[in-house]
Amino acid sequence: MHLVLRKSKEFQRTISQLWNQCLRKKSTDTERKRLIILGTGWASYSVLKAIDKRIYDVIVVSPRNHFLFTPLLCSTTVGTLEFRSIIEPVRNQGFRQTDHFNLSWAESLDFSRQILHCHSALKPDLKYELSYDKIVIGVGALNNTFGVPGVHEYAIFLKEVADARKIRNRIIHNFELSVQPGIDESESKRLLHTIIVGGGPTGIEFGAELYDFIEQDVARLYKRKRDDVQVTLVESNKILSSFDERLRHFAEKKIKQRSGFNLLKDSVTNVSSDHVVLKSGKTIPCGLVVWSTGLAPRSFVVKLNVAKNSRGQILTDRHLRILDDPSGNSYALGDCADIQDMLLPCTAQLAEKQGRYLAEQLNGKGEGKPFKFRSRGMLAYIGQYQGLTDLPEFKLQGFPSWFLWRSAYLTRLGSWRLIIQVPLDWIKTHFFGRDISRID
C-alpha cells in the first residue's frame, strides 16, 4: 500500500513538472516579439541571417522566395554561370512555422495600428493583414526609366534572374534568326546590334560578359556572323563614375579597342521594338536594349506617408529608424532608404552592412551605437580577363584584378552549395563553352 502511494505521488510530481514546463514554454512563446521583414535582397536577407530567433518570431514577406547574389547576375545573361548557381532559397534560413514566409507583396502599412496589408504573389485577389511588434523595410528599388517612352515595353532591365533569362533568350533568338533564310543583311545586322543604356557597374559588366561570349562562343558557333555583331553603350556622363579616374580611363581604353564596341556620350529619348532614338537626334537600329540607369522607388514606398529624400527614398535616423514613426518600431534600409544628413551609396555592400548592424541592435547587442559605414572598395569586370579594383588601400587593374574579383565574390556567396556550384560553372564554361540552348 505504501509503495502504491509513493508511486502515485511520484506520478503526480512528474505530471506537475511537465505542466510547469509547458507553462514556461507557453510564457516564452508569448514573450517573443513578432518581427516582420519585407524583402529578400541584401539588406533584408542580412537581417534574417543574423537575427536571434529565440527573441523574435520572424516573418518574411516578399514576392521572391530566394536571395540573389547580384554581383554575378550579369554572368548568367550569356551562360557563363547558370541561374540557380547564384540564388539561395530563403526557407533554408529556417522559420519557426512554415507560414512565417509569405510569398506576397506588401501593399500598405498602418504605423499607428502596426498592421501590414499584403496580397499574395500567387493569387493576387487574396489579401490579408499581418500585425507586428517591429518591422524592417528592405524592399529595394526599381530601375529608373526617367520617363523615356517605350522603356517598359521594349527594353529589358537587369535586376532579377527573370531579367537575365529574358536577355539570354533574346540574344540566342537574335543570333538564330539572323542566320535563317529570308533574313537580309540589314535585318541581320539590326538583330545583332545590342544597346546598353547606362555606364554604371551593371552596364559595364554586362557588356564585358557579352564581349567574352562574342569572342569565345559566337566566333566558334556563328563564324560568319562575328563581324556583324555590334554593341553600343550609351552613357550621358562618365562610365563607372564612382571609380578612381585612372581605373575609369583604363576601362574606357579597353572598351574602345574592341572590334564592334562603341561608347556614346548621349542619352536615349525613345525606345522602339527595333531601334532607339538619342538626344542628339541619331536613330540606332537594334535587336536588344538592356536598360541599367539609376534607381526609382517601388510603389509600396511611394505610398508610405513618411519623410523621403529627393529620390523618393525613406528617410531614417542613424539607427535606421523611420523618422516619421514615433513608435520607433519601424526600420528601413538598403536601396529603398536613406539616412538623414549622411551621404551613402546604393550598393550591396552598404545594404549587407546595414542588415548586420540592425540585427545586432534588435538582438540587444549593439549598445545603441549609431550606424557607421566605411566602404571596403569596389570591384568590376570589364571583359577579356581584365578587372578593376578600387580599394582604399590600393588600386589595381588588368588580369590580377580579374583574379581578385572572382576570388572575392566566391568567398562572399554565403552558402557551401553556391561556393561549390559557381567554380564548377566557371570550369565548365572554360573547357566546353557556354550553353546556348534557348528555353522559353
Side-chain angles (χ1 to χ4, degrees), residues 179 188 192 218-229:
V179 299
S188 174
L192 301 182
V218 171
R220 174 174 58 90
L221 300 170
Y222 304 91
K223 294 177 184 178
R224 296 176 59 186
K225 292 297 177 181
R226 169 61 187 91
D227 293 337
D228 290 343
V229 178

Side-chain angles (χ1 to χ4, degrees), residues 134-184:
K134 293 184 182 292
I135 190 166
V136 175
I137 301 173
V139 296
L142 302 170
N143 280 108
N144 197 338
T145 67
F146 299 99
V148 175
V151 174
H152 283 291
E153 293 83 358
Y154 303 114
I156 303 178
F157 302 119
L158 186 46
K159 287 187 73 69
E160 301 289 345
V161 167
D163 300 329
R165 186 174 177 179
K166 286 179 186 176
I167 292 170
R168 190 161 161 181
N169 276 345
R170 178 72 66 82
I171 289 170
I172 302 306
H173 168 276
N174 289 351
F175 272 100
E176 292 295 342
L177 184 57
S178 73
V179 299
Q180 289 188 350
I183 299 297
D184 61 32

Side-chain angles (χ1 to χ4, degrees), residues 71-72 74-75 78 80 200-213 215-216 233 239-240 243 250-251 254-255 258 378-389 396 398-406 409 426 434:
L72 293 178
C74 292
S75 297
V78 293
T80 306
T202 300
I204 293 297
E205 290 190 345
F206 169 65
E209 292 289 347
L210 188 56
Y211 176 73
D212 287 350
F213 171 65
E215 289 297 300
Q216 297 165 13
L233 192 148
I239 67 166
L240 299 172
F243 276 72
F250 176 80
K254 288 294 180 183
I255 293 170
R258 293 168 183 167
M378 298 174 290
L379 302 168
Y381 179 53
I382 60 173
Q384 208 173 19
Y385 306 108
Q386 305 279 305
L388 305 177
T389 300
L396 195 63
F399 179 81
S401 181
W402 167 81
F403 185 79
L404 180 62
W405 175 80
R406 279 203 167 180
Y409 285 153
W426 283 335
R434 293 164 180 80

Side-chain angles (χ1 to χ4, degrees), residues 306-319:
V306 296
K308 296 165 193 167
N309 66 10
S310 58
R311 293 176 293 180
Q313 295 169 298
I314 302 165
L315 282 175
T316 73
D317 64 15
R318 298 208 174 196
H319 298 274

